[in-house]
Amino acid sequence: MVALENSIMVKDRPATAGSKILENFVSPFSAGVVDKLAESGITIADERASACEFGIPNLFEKEDADVRIPADSAICNDIFGVYRKHAAQSGHCYIHPTYGTVSRFGLISLAASMDQAGVFCKDAREGFKLLSAIAGHDERDGAMFPQKSYSYAPSAGAVKIGLPGFAHGLDFAGKLETTAVTLPHFEALKQVMYILFSGEFSNNVSRYDGIKFGFRAEGCRGVNDLYLKTRTQGFGAQTKLAAVTGSMVLSQEKYAPYYEQAMKIRRAVKDGLPFDKCDVIALPATLGGTHYDDMALYALPVLAGLPCLAFSAGGQGVQLIADIHNEQALLAAWEVLA
Amino acid sequence: MLDIRSYEAMAKLDLPEQERAWAASGMNKLAKDFDALQDINTTGLEPLVSVLDIKNVLREDVAVKTISRATLLASAPEEYDGYFQVPKTL
């Protein structure tokens, strides 16, 4: 039995992404992952997994998001790390797969270059089995690897862990070899992440206009009033902040210094990954700051499309990040550390 | 303090005063942080739009049946005679 996050569409069932703006929305079709689950004979739970509206936590608060996982495992879209953090704190695992391996068709879009369904599970071995059931090319998603199916097994040989300077507090008790690595522009990742997310997000939420589907405000005079009232009443605070920030970073004045600069840094980050020195990078699952302060921790897999596994290793919350399509190194490391 | 009303208008939002003050304060913090990116030398780097090198893969240009008009209109808040209905515009 697998629960789906409320952002994944199932034909004839509601999908709200936790937002009032989608409160009356009933999906006219099913997501690619739903089709894949049906092909594998996996039952979908009636109750939805959820965290926060459109997956955006309270940016300037430390309080954890209200994560609900109503089954042994769930399929979610984790851009801001709320599911990864929750998994590591609650003795579960969260697998964020390589971008382009799981279909985004029917996943309510937040930021197309970052959206990727992943697996929340009790045990990484079981989680990777579930991932293999939902991974594979879907022609309805235009940004996927052509590979039709995936199976995940632990890599052979010892896994070497790369530890960035600020993660030296992580202790793996000598179970795996570690080496010091540098992550390019790590100090800028939270800005890069939020600039690029908010820009893409503000475009994506332009579809919520009160006309085609979802919530519509009452007493509107004319179409512009309909847009303004529907969106102002239908979106929560963090969604509005992201939409307005997105408008700022995409504005004529700010596009070059903010949005374009963030895209260039994203390239430098991807090009400078230290996988010539290690098999996986280890990061803490939380630093105890606000969601914005800690955003850099969760940004790397999302910005560079890398596979990541969050779990508790000897009581410490950890995220392991591997190179593209090297999920087997994550599984091998988990088998030693968990 | 940042005046966010023009950005609100672009996002088709009209925030109540209290919410506007909260959002402006948040965006002020963010903008100060964003400004620090100017210190990073990105000369010669091309903006990265997608992390995949794969280009959009298009299917054959063959007509397929997708969702019916009736199904799509069933999700609309208001529908009239097979069309989306909006408030009077003129």
Side-chain angles (χ1 to χ4, degrees):
Chain A
M1 179 85 74
V2 173
L4 300 178
E5 194 192 41
N6 52 14
S7 63
I8 297 173
M9 292 164 63
V10 183
K11 192 173 189 306
D12 298 329
R13 287 178 56 183
T16 64
S19 182
K20 180 181 177 181
I21 203 104
L22 281 168
E23 67 179 8
N24 302 318
F25 177 64
V26 175
S27 305
F29 55 82
S30 287
V33 294
V34 173
D35 295 341
K36 291 269 190 190
L37 289 171
E39 284 167 22
S40 297
I42 298 171
T43 311
I44 295 170
D46 287 336
E47 210 177 328
R48 295 291 201 151
S50 63
C52 25
E53 184 186 22
F54 293 116
I56 310 171
N58 289 334
L59 222 52
F60 303 115
E61 303 287 337
K62 288 185 178 180
E63 196 181 331
D64 289 341
D66 183 17
V67 176
R68 287 162 197 258
I69 306 288
D72 284 348
S73 45
I75 299 171
C76 316
N77 182 18
D78 187 31
I79 290 182
F80 289 107
V82 293
Y83 291 107
R84 277 172 277 168
K85 184 178 178 183
H86 184 68
Q89 287 177 338
S90 64
H92 291 78
C93 301
Y94 185 86
I95 305 165
H96 175 278
T98 299
Y99 181 83
T101 57
V102 178
S103 173
R104 297 168 305 165
F105 178 77
L107 177 65
I108 291 174
S109 189
L110 310 180
S113 80
M114 305 177 187
D115 289 331
Q116 184 67 145
V119 171
F120 190 100
C121 51
K122 283 189 166 170
D123 171 294
R125 242 167 296 152
E126 294 303 313
F128 275 106
K129 276 186 203 162
L130 177 57
L131 180 60
S132 69
I134 60 169
H137 185 75
D138 179 351
E139 67 173 21
R140 299 167 296 182
D141 180 344
M144 291 197 78
F145 289 101
Q147 198 169 322
K148 286 191 164 52
S149 64
Y150 294 82
S151 69
Y152 301 98
S155 55
V159 174
K160 190 194 273 189
I161 295 181
L163 278 178
F166 67 90
H168 280 158
L170 290 177
D171 180 10
F172 299 109
K175 290 178 177 174
L176 287 172
E177 186 186 351
T178 60
T179 186
V181 294
T182 304
L183 297 180
H185 305 303
F186 185 80
E187 70 291 346
L189 286 189
K190 67 179 176 185
Q191 295 99 309
V192 170
M193 175 92 167
Y194 199 69
I195 288 171
L196 297 179
F197 174 83
S198 63
E200 290 191 38
F201 182 73
S202 69
N203 273 337
N204 274 323
V205 295
S206 64
R207 73 190 67 184
Y208 303 114
D209 56 7
I211 294 174
K212 299 183 288 294
F213 50 82
F215 168 75
R216 172 184 284 195
E218 290 181 357
C220 303
R221 291 188 296 178
V223 174
N224 196 49
D225 195 42
L226 170 69
Y227 293 153
L228 292 172
K229 283 190 175 141
T230 295
R231 291 164 63 82
T232 303
Q233 293 172 25
F235 289 144
Q238 294 300 326
T239 297
K240 289 178 204 170
L241 180 64
V244 179
T245 306
S247 296
M248 175 176 75
V249 302
L250 295 176
S251 66
Q252 192 173 25
E253 186 193 6
K254 299 294 187 187
Y255 182 83
Y258 290 170
Y259 200 77
E260 192 175 61
Q261 178 73 345
M263 285 197 290
K264 288 178 178 177
I265 298 169
R266 188 180 194 181
R267 180 172 297 281
V269 168
K270 183 169 180 277
D271 291 350
L273 293 167
F275 290 120
D276 53 336
K277 298 187 179 68
C278 62
D279 301 300
V280 300
I281 299 161
L283 296 177
T286 179
L287 289 176
T290 66
H291 289 280
Y292 179 67
D293 288 338
D294 284 1
M295 201 178 287
L297 279 186
Y298 309 110
L300 196 56
V302 174
L303 290 175
L306 305 173
C308 170
L309 175 61
F311 62 103
S312 173
Q316 59 189 348
V318 65
Q319 298 178 85
L320 299 181
I321 301 162
D323 203 356
I324 280 175
H325 287 321
N326 196 13
E327 275 88 346
Q328 55 265 39
L330 301 178
L331 188 50
W334 176 83
E335 293 209 328
V336 175
L337 299 173
Chain B
M1 185 68 78
L2 202 63
D3 183 359
I4 66 166
R5 275 174 291 197
S6 61
Y7 301 129
E8 271 182 55
M10 289 179 207
K12 288 289 179 204
L13 289 166
D14 182 18
L15 302 182
E17 272 312 318
Q18 203 178 349
E19 214 172 337
R20 177 173 294 140
W22 171 82
S25 159
M27 285 175 67
N28 232 34
K29 277 189 225 166
L30 292 169
K32 271 187 196 156
D33 247 21
F34 296 169
D35 286 338
L37 296 187
Q38 292 309 299
D39 298 336
I40 296 174
N41 183 2
T42 54
T43 309
L45 284 170
E46 284 296 314
L48 181 70
V49 177
S50 169
V51 291
L52 294 189
D53 295 328
I54 301 168
K55 302 290 175 215
N56 275 353
V57 183
L58 305 178
R59 66 169 174 80
E60 289 300 311
D61 187 16
V62 179
V64 290
K65 210 168 188 178
T66 56
I67 302 166
S68 70
R69 171 189 279 224
T71 305
L72 273 180
L73 285 169
S75 295
E78 285 185 65
E79 164 283 309
Y80 177 74
D81 202 18
Y83 294 93
F84 295 115
Q85 189 173 29
V86 296
K88 195 173 178 183
T89 53
L90 286 174

